[in-house]
Amino acid sequence: MAMIVADRLVKRYGPTLAVDDLSFTVPPGQVTGFLGPNGAGKSTTMRMILGLDAPTSGSATVNGQPYVSFRRPLRQVGALLDATALHGGRTAFNHLRALAWSNGIGTARVREVLDQVGLTSVAGQRAGGFSLGMAQRLGIAAALLGDPPVLMFDEPVNGLDPEGVRWFRLLVKSLAAQGRTILLSSHLMTEMAITADRLIILGRGRLIADTTIADLLASGPGVFVQLRTPEPDSAAALLTARDAIVTQLPDGALKVTGLGREAVGQLAAANGITVLELSSHQTSLEQRYLELTSDVVDYQTVAAPSITAPAAN
Amino acid sequence: MDTAATIRSQPLPPLTDIVGSELLKIRSVRSTIWTLIAAVGFNIALAAGSALFIAGRLSPDQRGTIDAVRLSLAGLHLSQIAFAVLGVLVISTEYTTGTIRTTLAAVPQRRTVLAAKATVVAVIALIVGIASSFAAYLTFQALLPDGDSMRSSLADPGVARAVTGGGLYVAVLGLLGVGLGAAMRSSAGAISTVLGLLFVPPILLTLMPHDWQTTVGPYVPMNAGSQIFIIRPDAMTDSGLGPWGGFGVFCVYAAIALIAGFTVIRRRDA
């Protein structure tokens, strides 16, 4: 079975733990999103899977074997790590042909993947003149060269235009539908929400969640009520007395979880609190992701002050 | 790292594929072609210029002592830079552009990759070096006036060795560049280092006590290596080891650089 398995991976750079005791499995037939803020350790983990960086401890295997043991790796795993990693003086065609040659792959296949990513017309042009979007397509073509059962893409949609993003989404979904194992990294939840079936969420090198999109949404405080009032302190005190969880948003409004809109409205009316706005909301995946990673991002904007700390979360 | 043991237990991918891939890489960038054309052109141009404009201006004294074969190969003193730089760039640009990760993901057997690059550089430098040395020598001979005392033939003692030696010298110099490029992973750093190794010691030695020039002089890299394309050694190139001995010393420098390069590429994260 074509799978990627990370087993207690640790990568330490001096005093920094880039990857901290990370274990996960990427199964075939699905698109697995590899999600986390910048610096969470996604790229480092991918490099360790490809045998480019040696783990400080732990191991990573593809199809049960360490990557460095493969004789024709491109036929086992296709990877796009950094699309801009190109020799500017070499043509797209020669870039792919050199890669293909090292793995015993013929020129016909090079033309095929160039066609598949829509670069045939610029195949003879030097990569130095490529836009980021064209470089991404070339990187995707390189990953597809060996027709591998396992594919890894690191931030593949950076620089792609909207049509390109859509094209890539359909491509990875069709590759997964063929039974391939797909690991797709991003720091954007919005893109993952529509592309991935499963999510592995990292923060500061640690596993935060290994879940499906549906489970992730269900696990959070899905619905909340937004209350805007000139008396937020007294409103918050009343609401927390009714076991609601209350946080103040940056714009001054209160975010209430645990009580419905009607209950909040009645409580406000019964206590003579002026209501300027009362609305109910569904937590988006984006918000859920931000909640999960908010305490592990390296740099963040000043957090909204919390009137009452979340009770049990 | 325990991966080394794993690599050994697995069959290697066909070496011809990896060498072929590296050969395609080196010839698919225009800088390689221009570098080599410049090197060949300079070797021949300097030989022609020496025969036409220098030979007639030499004093009878100089004519008696000069190494005319070395004069015909004088272009090597500049064109060697091209081969050293070619050797460095073939590996250092993989690091500066980031393509090393693509390369090593395609062929995880790192030392095989570096060996393939070294082979390609050495073979190209050897072929181009020998061809351009012969072309330079023959141009020089053809342009000398009839009966000139500096005329020689390839059948004369040491001449064929010296002319072939021009190619051997640049091939080993290319390997020195590959080793430094892999060890330092930086184009600027490795190019400065290889040029510094070549040109600085002979200049410094002219400022040193005179006996250092004769004791240390023949063993610094460029002086050691150039003995293979010299017929009449001078104080700075007469090691007493002979042309092959001096060349052997030069090979040791290249071997040290390559060992450093192979150690770094195996041990460090890409």
Side-chain angles (χ1 to χ4, degrees), chain A residues 11 13 47 51-54 66-74 81 84-87 89-90 94 97-99 101-104 126, chain B residues 1 3 6-7 10-14 17 20-21 24-25 28-30 93 97-99 101-102 104-110 269-270:
Chain A
K11 183 66 181 182
Y13 294 108
R47 288 201 301 272
L52 295 170
D53 286 15
Y67 188 89
V68 293
S69 70
F70 291 130
R71 188 166 176 268
R72 300 287 202 193
L74 296 186
L81 288 186
T84 61
L86 291 168
H87 192 299
R90 195 172 288 128
N94 280 331
R97 198 152 71 103
L99 268 180
W101 200 333
S102 70
N103 275 247
R126 279 189 289 282
Chain B
M1 209 173 88
T3 47
T6 322
I7 293 171
Q10 294 288 326
L12 269 176
D17 284 354
S21 169
L24 173 61
K25 279 193 205 167
S28 62
V29 292
R30 281 200 298 193
T93 53
T97 59
T99 51
R101 288 183 177 148
T102 317
L104 295 183
V107 186
Q109 294 77 14
R110 299 180 174 194
D269 285 344

Short mmCIF file of all heavy atoms in Angstrom, two decimals, chain A residues 11 13 47 51-54 66-74 81 84-87 89-90 94 97-99 101-104 126, chain B residues 1 3 6-7 10-14 17 20-21 24-25 28-30 93 97-99 101-102 104-110 269-270:
data_model
loop_
_atom_site.label_atom_id
_atom_site.label_comp_id
_atom_site.label_asym_id
_atom_site.label_seq_id
_atom_site.Cartn_x
_atom_site.Cartn_y
_atom_site.Cartn_z
N LYS A 11 13.35 17.09 14.47
CA LYS A 11 14.44 17.80 13.81
C LYS A 11 14.79 19.01 14.64
O LYS A 11 13.95 19.87 14.88
CB LYS A 11 14.04 18.23 12.39
CG LYS A 11 15.16 18.92 11.62
CD LYS A 11 16.32 17.98 11.34
CE LYS A 11 17.44 18.67 10.61
NZ LYS A 11 18.55 17.75 10.29
N TYR A 13 17.40 22.24 15.05
CA TYR A 13 18.44 23.11 14.51
C TYR A 13 18.97 23.93 15.67
O TYR A 13 18.33 24.89 16.09
CB TYR A 13 17.87 24.06 13.44
CG TYR A 13 17.37 23.37 12.19
CD1 TYR A 13 16.01 23.26 11.93
CD2 TYR A 13 18.27 22.81 11.27
CE1 TYR A 13 15.55 22.64 10.78
CE2 TYR A 13 17.81 22.19 10.13
CZ TYR A 13 16.46 22.12 9.89
OH TYR A 13 15.99 21.50 8.76
N ARG A 47 11.13 17.49 3.68
CA ARG A 47 12.53 17.21 3.33
C ARG A 47 13.03 15.95 4.02
O ARG A 47 13.81 15.20 3.44
CB ARG A 47 13.41 18.41 3.70
CG ARG A 47 13.22 19.62 2.78
CD ARG A 47 14.42 20.55 2.84
NE ARG A 47 14.66 21.03 4.18
CZ ARG A 47 14.10 22.12 4.71
NH1 ARG A 47 13.27 22.84 3.98
NH2 ARG A 47 14.37 22.50 5.92
N GLY A 51 14.45 12.29 2.44
CA GLY A 51 15.84 11.94 2.73
C GLY A 51 16.82 13.08 2.49
O GLY A 51 18.02 12.86 2.42
N LEU A 52 16.30 14.31 2.35
CA LEU A 52 17.19 15.44 2.10
C LEU A 52 17.77 15.98 3.40
O LEU A 52 18.92 16.38 3.45
CB LEU A 52 16.43 16.56 1.37
CG LEU A 52 15.94 16.19 -0.03
CD1 LEU A 52 15.00 17.25 -0.57
CD2 LEU A 52 17.12 16.01 -0.97
N ASP A 53 16.95 15.99 4.44
CA ASP A 53 17.41 16.37 5.77
C ASP A 53 17.34 15.12 6.65
O ASP A 53 16.36 14.37 6.59
CB ASP A 53 16.50 17.45 6.37
CG ASP A 53 16.74 18.82 5.73
OD1 ASP A 53 17.37 18.85 4.65
OD2 ASP A 53 16.29 19.82 6.29
N ALA A 54 18.38 14.90 7.42
CA ALA A 54 18.40 13.75 8.30
C ALA A 54 17.66 14.10 9.59
O ALA A 54 17.94 15.14 10.19
CB ALA A 54 19.83 13.34 8.60
N PRO A 66 12.66 3.51 3.72
CA PRO A 66 13.23 4.85 3.74
C PRO A 66 13.48 5.33 2.31
O PRO A 66 13.88 4.53 1.44
CB PRO A 66 14.54 4.69 4.51
CG PRO A 66 14.85 3.25 4.50
CD PRO A 66 13.56 2.51 4.32
N TYR A 67 13.24 6.60 2.06
CA TYR A 67 13.32 7.14 0.70
C TYR A 67 14.66 6.85 0.04
O TYR A 67 14.72 6.53 -1.15
CB TYR A 67 13.07 8.66 0.74
CG TYR A 67 12.95 9.30 -0.61
CD1 TYR A 67 11.72 9.40 -1.24
CD2 TYR A 67 14.07 9.79 -1.28
CE1 TYR A 67 11.59 9.98 -2.48
CE2 TYR A 67 13.96 10.36 -2.53
CZ TYR A 67 12.73 10.46 -3.13
OH TYR A 67 12.62 11.03 -4.36
N VAL A 68 15.75 6.98 0.82
CA VAL A 68 17.09 6.84 0.23
C VAL A 68 17.36 5.43 -0.28
O VAL A 68 18.36 5.20 -0.96
CB VAL A 68 18.20 7.25 1.22
CG1 VAL A 68 18.14 8.74 1.50
CG2 VAL A 68 18.12 6.45 2.51
N SER A 69 16.47 4.48 0.03
CA SER A 69 16.71 3.12 -0.46
C SER A 69 16.14 2.91 -1.86
O SER A 69 16.39 1.89 -2.48
CB SER A 69 16.09 2.11 0.50
OG SER A 69 14.68 2.18 0.42
N PHE A 70 15.40 3.90 -2.38
CA PHE A 70 14.79 3.70 -3.70
C PHE A 70 15.82 3.78 -4.82
O PHE A 70 16.69 4.63 -4.82
CB PHE A 70 13.69 4.74 -3.95
CG PHE A 70 12.49 4.55 -3.08
CD1 PHE A 70 11.95 5.60 -2.37
CD2 PHE A 70 11.89 3.30 -2.97
CE1 PHE A 70 10.84 5.43 -1.56
CE2 PHE A 70 10.78 3.11 -2.17
CZ PHE A 70 10.25 4.18 -1.45
N ARG A 71 15.66 2.88 -5.77
CA ARG A 71 16.59 2.82 -6.89
C ARG A 71 16.15 3.79 -7.98
O ARG A 71 16.96 4.40 -8.65
CB ARG A 71 16.61 1.38 -7.41
CG ARG A 71 17.65 1.10 -8.43
CD ARG A 71 17.80 -0.40 -8.61
NE ARG A 71 18.74 -0.69 -9.68
CZ ARG A 71 18.36 -0.88 -10.94
NH1 ARG A 71 17.09 -0.80 -11.26
NH2 ARG A 71 19.27 -1.14 -11.86
N ARG A 72 14.85 3.92 -8.16
CA ARG A 72 14.27 4.86 -9.13
C ARG A 72 13.23 5.69 -8.38
O ARG A 72 12.03 5.50 -8.56
CB ARG A 72 13.58 4.09 -10.25
CG ARG A 72 14.45 3.16 -11.08
CD ARG A 72 15.33 3.96 -11.96
NE ARG A 72 15.79 3.17 -13.11
CZ ARG A 72 16.77 3.56 -13.90
NH1 ARG A 72 17.39 4.70 -13.65
NH2 ARG A 72 17.13 2.83 -14.93
N PRO A 73 13.69 6.62 -7.52
CA PRO A 73 12.75 7.30 -6.61
C PRO A 73 11.61 8.03 -7.31
O PRO A 73 10.50 8.06 -6.78
CB PRO A 73 13.63 8.29 -5.85
CG PRO A 73 15.02 7.98 -6.20
CD PRO A 73 15.07 7.08 -7.37
N LEU A 74 11.88 8.59 -8.49
CA LEU A 74 10.83 9.37 -9.15
C LEU A 74 9.64 8.50 -9.56
O LEU A 74 8.55 9.01 -9.77
CB LEU A 74 11.39 10.11 -10.38
CG LEU A 74 12.46 11.16 -10.12
CD1 LEU A 74 12.80 11.91 -11.40
CD2 LEU A 74 12.04 12.14 -9.04
N LEU A 81 8.99 20.73 -4.08
CA LEU A 81 9.36 21.40 -2.83
C LEU A 81 9.41 22.90 -3.01
O LEU A 81 8.75 23.64 -2.30
CB LEU A 81 10.73 20.91 -2.35
CG LEU A 81 10.80 19.49 -1.80
CD1 LEU A 81 12.18 19.22 -1.24
CD2 LEU A 81 9.76 19.29 -0.71
N THR A 84 10.78 27.64 -7.35
CA THR A 84 11.75 28.61 -7.86
C THR A 84 13.15 28.00 -7.93
O THR A 84 14.08 28.64 -8.41
CB THR A 84 11.80 29.86 -6.97
OG1 THR A 84 12.19 29.47 -5.66
CG2 THR A 84 10.45 30.53 -6.92
N ALA A 85 13.31 26.76 -7.45
CA ALA A 85 14.61 26.10 -7.50
C ALA A 85 14.86 25.58 -8.92
O ALA A 85 14.65 24.42 -9.23
CB ALA A 85 14.68 24.95 -6.49
N LEU A 86 15.26 26.48 -9.79
CA LEU A 86 15.52 26.14 -11.19
C LEU A 86 16.81 26.82 -11.61
O LEU A 86 17.14 27.89 -11.11
CB LEU A 86 14.39 26.69 -12.08
CG LEU A 86 13.01 26.05 -11.94
CD1 LEU A 86 11.97 26.89 -12.66
CD2 LEU A 86 13.02 24.63 -12.49
N HIS A 87 17.55 26.22 -12.53
CA HIS A 87 18.69 26.91 -13.14
C HIS A 87 18.13 27.82 -14.23
O HIS A 87 17.53 27.33 -15.19
CB HIS A 87 19.68 25.91 -13.71
CG HIS A 87 21.00 26.55 -14.08
ND1 HIS A 87 21.10 27.54 -15.01
CD2 HIS A 87 22.26 26.34 -13.63
CE1 HIS A 87 22.36 27.93 -15.13
NE2 HIS A 87 23.09 27.20 -14.29
N GLY A 89 19.28 29.33 -16.63
CA GLY A 89 19.80 29.22 -17.98
C GLY A 89 19.37 27.96 -18.71
O GLY A 89 19.71 27.78 -19.88
N ARG A 90 18.65 27.08 -18.02
CA ARG A 90 18.27 25.80 -18.65
C ARG A 90 16.81 25.87 -19.06
O ARG A 90 15.98 26.43 -18.36
CB ARG A 90 18.51 24.67 -17.62
CG ARG A 90 18.51 23.28 -18.22
CD ARG A 90 18.94 22.24 -17.19
NE ARG A 90 20.37 22.33 -16.91
CZ ARG A 90 20.89 22.43 -15.69
NH1 ARG A 90 20.11 22.42 -14.64
NH2 ARG A 90 22.19 22.51 -15.52
N ASN A 94 14.79 20.77 -21.03
CA ASN A 94 16.04 20.14 -20.58
C ASN A 94 16.06 19.89 -19.08
O ASN A 94 16.67 18.91 -18.61
CB ASN A 94 17.25 21.00 -20.99
CG ASN A 94 17.62 20.76 -22.45
OD1 ASN A 94 17.39 19.68 -22.99
ND2 ASN A 94 18.17 21.79 -23.09
N ARG A 97 14.16 16.78 -18.78
CA ARG A 97 14.83 15.67 -19.45
C ARG A 97 15.99 15.14 -18.60
O ARG A 97 16.22 13.94 -18.51
CB ARG A 97 15.33 16.10 -20.83
CG ARG A 97 15.64 14.91 -21.73
CD ARG A 97 15.46 15.26 -23.18
NE ARG A 97 16.51 16.15 -23.66
CZ ARG A 97 17.55 15.75 -24.39
NH1 ARG A 97 17.66 14.49 -24.74
NH2 ARG A 97 18.44 16.61 -24.79
N ALA A 98 16.73 16.08 -17.95
CA ALA A 98 17.84 15.66 -17.10
C ALA A 98 17.32 14.84 -15.91
O ALA A 98 17.90 13.81 -15.55
CB ALA A 98 18.63 16.88 -16.62
N LEU A 99 16.21 15.32 -15.33
CA LEU A 99 15.62 14.59 -14.22
C LEU A 99 15.14 13.21 -14.66
O LEU A 99 15.39 12.21 -14.00
CB LEU A 99 14.40 15.35 -13.69
CG LEU A 99 14.60 16.35 -12.57
CD1 LEU A 99 13.26 16.98 -12.22
CD2 LEU A 99 15.17 15.63 -11.35
N TRP A 101 16.07 11.43 -17.20
CA TRP A 101 17.19 10.58 -17.58
C TRP A 101 17.78 9.85 -16.36
O TRP A 101 18.08 8.65 -16.41
CB TRP A 101 18.28 11.43 -18.25
CG TRP A 101 19.25 10.69 -19.09
CD1 TRP A 101 19.63 9.37 -18.94
CD2 TRP A 101 19.98 11.19 -20.21
NE1 TRP A 101 20.55 9.04 -19.89
CE2 TRP A 101 20.79 10.13 -20.67
CE3 TRP A 101 20.04 12.43 -20.85
CZ2 TRP A 101 21.65 10.28 -21.77
CZ3 TRP A 101 20.90 12.58 -21.92
CH2 TRP A 101 21.68 11.51 -22.37
N SER A 102 17.91 10.60 -15.25
CA SER A 102 18.54 10.01 -14.06
C SER A 102 17.71 8.85 -13.51
O SER A 102 18.21 8.04 -12.74
CB SER A 102 18.73 11.07 -12.98
OG SER A 102 17.49 11.47 -12.44
N ASN A 103 16.43 8.78 -13.89
CA ASN A 103 15.57 7.70 -13.40
C ASN A 103 15.10 6.77 -14.52
O ASN A 103 14.12 6.05 -14.36
CB ASN A 103 14.37 8.28 -12.65
CG ASN A 103 14.69 8.58 -11.19
OD1 ASN A 103 14.18 7.95 -10.29
ND2 ASN A 103 15.59 9.53 -10.98
N GLY A 104 15.80 6.83 -15.63
CA GLY A 104 15.48 5.94 -16.74
C GLY A 104 14.12 6.20 -17.36
O GLY A 104 13.45 5.27 -17.80
N ARG A 126 14.11 29.30 -21.63
CA ARG A 126 14.88 29.17 -20.40
C ARG A 126 14.02 29.52 -19.18
O ARG A 126 13.25 30.48 -19.22
CB ARG A 126 16.13 30.03 -20.46
CG ARG A 126 17.23 29.36 -21.26
CD ARG A 126 18.52 30.10 -21.15
NE ARG A 126 18.47 31.35 -21.87
CZ ARG A 126 18.61 31.44 -23.20
NH1 ARG A 126 18.82 30.36 -23.92
NH2 ARG A 126 18.55 32.60 -23.80
N MET B 1 24.81 8.39 10.44
CA MET B 1 23.46 8.18 9.91
C MET B 1 23.33 6.73 9.43
O MET B 1 24.19 6.22 8.74
CB MET B 1 23.23 9.15 8.74
CG MET B 1 21.80 9.52 8.57
SD MET B 1 21.68 10.83 7.31
CE MET B 1 21.55 9.84 5.83
N THR B 3 21.40 5.56 7.30
CA THR B 3 20.96 5.40 5.91
C THR B 3 22.09 4.89 5.02
O THR B 3 21.83 4.27 4.01
CB THR B 3 20.45 6.74 5.34
OG1 THR B 3 21.41 7.73 5.67
CG2 THR B 3 19.11 7.10 5.89
N THR B 6 21.82 1.33 4.55
CA THR B 6 20.69 1.00 3.68
C THR B 6 21.05 1.17 2.22
O THR B 6 20.69 0.35 1.38
CB THR B 6 19.49 1.91 4.01
OG1 THR B 6 19.47 2.11 5.41
CG2 THR B 6 18.22 1.30 3.52
N ILE B 7 21.78 2.26 1.93
CA ILE B 7 22.17 2.52 0.54
C ILE B 7 23.00 1.36 0.01
O ILE B 7 22.76 0.87 -1.07
CB ILE B 7 22.98 3.83 0.44
CG1 ILE B 7 22.09 5.01 0.78
CG2 ILE B 7 23.57 4.00 -0.96
CD1 ILE B 7 22.84 6.32 0.93
N GLN B 10 21.20 -1.71 -1.20
CA GLN B 10 20.33 -1.60 -2.37
C GLN B 10 21.16 -1.55 -3.65
O GLN B 10 22.27 -1.03 -3.65
CB GLN B 10 19.52 -0.31 -2.28
CG GLN B 10 18.55 -0.28 -1.14
CD GLN B 10 17.37 -1.19 -1.35
OE1 GLN B 10 16.92 -1.34 -2.47
NE2 GLN B 10 16.88 -1.80 -0.30
N PRO B 11 20.61 -2.09 -4.74
CA PRO B 11 21.34 -1.96 -6.00
C PRO B 11 21.38 -0.50 -6.43
O PRO B 11 20.41 0.23 -6.23
CB PRO B 11 20.49 -2.77 -6.98
CG PRO B 11 19.14 -2.82 -6.36
CD PRO B 11 19.33 -2.75 -4.88
N LEU B 12 22.50 -0.09 -6.98
CA LEU B 12 22.61 1.29 -7.46
C LEU B 12 21.86 1.45 -8.77
O LEU B 12 21.79 0.53 -9.56
CB LEU B 12 24.08 1.63 -7.69
CG LEU B 12 24.85 2.24 -6.54
CD1 LEU B 12 26.30 2.42 -6.95
CD2 LEU B 12 24.26 3.58 -6.13
N PRO B 13 21.30 2.64 -8.99
CA PRO B 13 20.73 2.88 -10.32
C PRO B 13 21.86 2.87 -11.35
O PRO B 13 23.01 3.12 -10.99
CB PRO B 13 20.11 4.27 -10.19
CG PRO B 13 20.70 4.87 -8.98
CD PRO B 13 21.17 3.77 -8.10
N PRO B 14 21.55 2.56 -12.60
CA PRO B 14 22.62 2.49 -13.60
C PRO B 14 23.42 3.80 -13.65
O PRO B 14 22.85 4.87 -13.77
CB PRO B 14 21.86 2.28 -14.90
CG PRO B 14 20.56 1.71 -14.50
CD PRO B 14 20.25 2.25 -13.15
N ASP B 17 22.96 6.27 -16.54
CA ASP B 17 21.83 7.20 -16.49
C ASP B 17 22.19 8.46 -15.72
O ASP B 17 21.82 9.57 -16.11
CB ASP B 17 20.62 6.53 -15.84
CG ASP B 17 19.93 5.55 -16.77
OD1 ASP B 17 20.33 5.49 -17.95
OD2 ASP B 17 19.00 4.85 -16.32
N GLY B 20 24.74 10.44 -17.67
CA GLY B 20 24.04 11.04 -18.81
C GLY B 20 23.24 12.25 -18.40
O GLY B 20 23.24 13.28 -19.08
N SER B 21 22.56 12.12 -17.26
CA SER B 21 21.77 13.23 -16.74
C SER B 21 22.66 14.44 -16.42
O SER B 21 22.33 15.57 -16.75
CB SER B 21 21.03 12.75 -15.49
OG SER B 21 20.44 13.83 -14.81
N LEU B 24 23.91 16.07 -19.59
CA LEU B 24 22.87 16.93 -20.18
C LEU B 24 22.76 18.25 -19.43
O LEU B 24 22.65 19.31 -20.03
CB LEU B 24 21.53 16.19 -20.17
CG LEU B 24 20.31 17.03 -20.61
CD1 LEU B 24 20.46 17.51 -22.04
CD2 LEU B 24 19.02 16.25 -20.45
N LYS B 25 22.85 18.17 -18.09
CA LYS B 25 22.75 19.40 -17.29
C LYS B 25 23.86 20.38 -17.66
O LYS B 25 23.62 21.56 -17.82
CB LYS B 25 22.88 19.06 -15.80
CG LYS B 25 21.61 18.57 -15.17
CD LYS B 25 21.80 18.58 -13.67
CE LYS B 25 20.90 17.59 -12.99
NZ LYS B 25 21.30 17.39 -11.59
N SER B 28 23.47 21.84 -21.18
CA SER B 28 22.23 22.55 -21.50
C SER B 28 22.20 23.97 -20.92
O SER B 28 21.18 24.63 -20.97
CB SER B 28 21.02 21.75 -20.99
OG SER B 28 21.06 21.61 -19.59
N VAL B 29 23.31 24.40 -20.34
CA VAL B 29 23.38 25.82 -19.98
C VAL B 29 24.44 26.49 -20.83
O VAL B 29 25.53 25.96 -21.04
CB VAL B 29 23.67 26.03 -18.47
CG1 VAL B 29 22.49 25.57 -17.64
CG2 VAL B 29 24.93 25.35 -18.02
N ARG B 30 24.08 27.67 -21.35
CA ARG B 30 24.95 28.29 -22.35
C ARG B 30 26.30 28.72 -21.77
O ARG B 30 27.29 28.77 -22.49
CB ARG B 30 24.24 29.51 -22.95
CG ARG B 30 23.22 29.09 -24.00
CD ARG B 30 22.89 30.24 -24.91
NE ARG B 30 22.27 31.34 -24.14
CZ ARG B 30 21.66 32.36 -24.70
NH1 ARG B 30 21.58 32.43 -26.01
NH2 ARG B 30 21.13 33.31 -23.98
N THR B 93 26.19 25.78 -8.28
CA THR B 93 24.92 26.37 -8.73
C THR B 93 23.73 25.53 -8.29
O THR B 93 22.62 26.04 -8.16
CB THR B 93 24.85 26.53 -10.26
OG1 THR B 93 25.13 25.28 -10.86
CG2 THR B 93 25.82 27.58 -10.77
N THR B 97 20.92 27.75 -6.60
CA THR B 97 19.57 27.80 -7.17
C THR B 97 18.59 26.94 -6.38
O THR B 97 17.39 27.09 -6.52
CB THR B 97 19.55 27.28 -8.62
OG1 THR B 97 20.03 25.93 -8.63
CG2 THR B 97 20.42 28.13 -9.54
N GLY B 98 19.09 26.04 -5.57
CA GLY B 98 18.21 25.14 -4.82
C GLY B 98 17.89 23.85 -5.56
O GLY B 98 17.18 23.00 -5.04
N THR B 99 18.41 23.69 -6.79
CA THR B 99 18.10 22.48 -7.56
C THR B 99 18.75 21.23 -6.96
O THR B 99 18.39 20.12 -7.34
CB THR B 99 18.57 22.61 -9.02
OG1 THR B 99 19.93 23.03 -9.02
CG2 THR B 99 17.73 23.60 -9.79
N ARG B 101 18.17 19.93 -4.24
CA ARG B 101 17.13 19.11 -3.60
C ARG B 101 16.38 18.29 -4.65
O ARG B 101 16.02 17.14 -4.40
CB ARG B 101 16.16 19.99 -2.80
CG ARG B 101 16.83 20.52 -1.55
CD ARG B 101 15.89 21.33 -0.70
NE ARG B 101 16.58 21.75 0.52
CZ ARG B 101 16.34 22.88 1.14
NH1 ARG B 101 15.46 23.73 0.66
NH2 ARG B 101 17.00 23.17 2.24
N THR B 102 16.13 18.88 -5.81
CA THR B 102 15.50 18.14 -6.89
C THR B 102 16.43 17.02 -7.35
O THR B 102 15.99 15.88 -7.57
CB THR B 102 15.22 19.08 -8.08
OG1 THR B 102 14.69 20.30 -7.57
CG2 THR B 102 14.25 18.47 -9.05
N LEU B 104 18.90 15.50 -5.67
CA LEU B 104 19.08 14.42 -4.69
C LEU B 104 17.78 13.68 -4.40
O LEU B 104 17.81 12.54 -3.93
CB LEU B 104 19.69 14.97 -3.39
CG LEU B 104 21.11 15.53 -3.53
CD1 LEU B 104 21.64 15.98 -2.18
CD2 LEU B 104 22.06 14.51 -4.14
N ALA B 105 16.64 14.30 -4.68
CA ALA B 105 15.38 13.57 -4.56
C ALA B 105 15.27 12.57 -5.72
O ALA B 105 14.70 11.50 -5.57
CB ALA B 105 14.20 14.53 -4.57
N ALA B 106 15.84 12.92 -6.87
CA ALA B 106 15.82 12.01 -8.02
C ALA B 106 16.87 10.91 -7.87
O ALA B 106 16.67 9.78 -8.30
CB ALA B 106 16.05 12.78 -9.31
N VAL B 107 18.01 11.26 -7.28
CA VAL B 107 19.07 10.27 -7.05
C VAL B 107 19.57 10.45 -5.62
O VAL B 107 20.45 11.26 -5.35
CB VAL B 107 20.25 10.45 -8.04
CG1 VAL B 107 21.26 9.33 -7.88
CG2 VAL B 107 19.75 10.53 -9.47
N PRO B 108 19.02 9.69 -4.68
CA PRO B 108 19.39 9.89 -3.27
C PRO B 108 20.82 9.41 -2.96
O PRO B 108 21.32 9.70 -1.89
CB PRO B 108 18.37 9.04 -2.49
CG PRO B 108 17.30 8.68 -3.46
CD PRO B 108 17.93 8.71 -4.82
N GLN B 109 21.43 8.69 -3.90
CA GLN B 109 22.80 8.21 -3.68
C GLN B 109 23.74 9.39 -3.93
O GLN B 109 24.25 9.59 -5.03
CB GLN B 109 23.13 7.04 -4.62
CG GLN B 109 22.31 5.78 -4.36
CD GLN B 109 20.89 5.86 -4.90
OE1 GLN B 109 20.57 6.74 -5.70
NE2 GLN B 109 20.02 4.97 -4.48
N ARG B 110 23.97 10.17 -2.86
CA ARG B 110 24.62 11.47 -3.02
C ARG B 110 26.02 11.39 -3.58
O ARG B 110 26.42 12.19 -4.42
CB ARG B 110 24.66 12.18 -1.67
CG ARG B 110 23.27 12.44 -1.12
CD ARG B 110 23.37 13.14 0.19
NE ARG B 110 22.01 13.50 0.64
CZ ARG B 110 21.76 14.35 1.61
NH1 ARG B 110 22.76 14.93 2.25
NH2 ARG B 110 20.53 14.62 1.94
N ASP B 269 22.72 18.19 5.60
CA ASP B 269 21.39 18.27 5.01
C ASP B 269 21.48 19.02 3.70
O ASP B 269 22.24 19.98 3.58
CB ASP B 269 20.44 19.02 5.95
CG ASP B 269 20.04 18.16 7.15
OD1 ASP B 269 20.24 16.93 7.09
OD2 ASP B 269 19.51 18.72 8.12
N ALA B 270 20.69 18.57 2.72
CA ALA B 270 20.74 19.22 1.41
C ALA B 270 20.00 20.55 1.45
O ALA B 270 19.11 20.75 2.23
CB ALA B 270 20.11 18.33 0.36
#
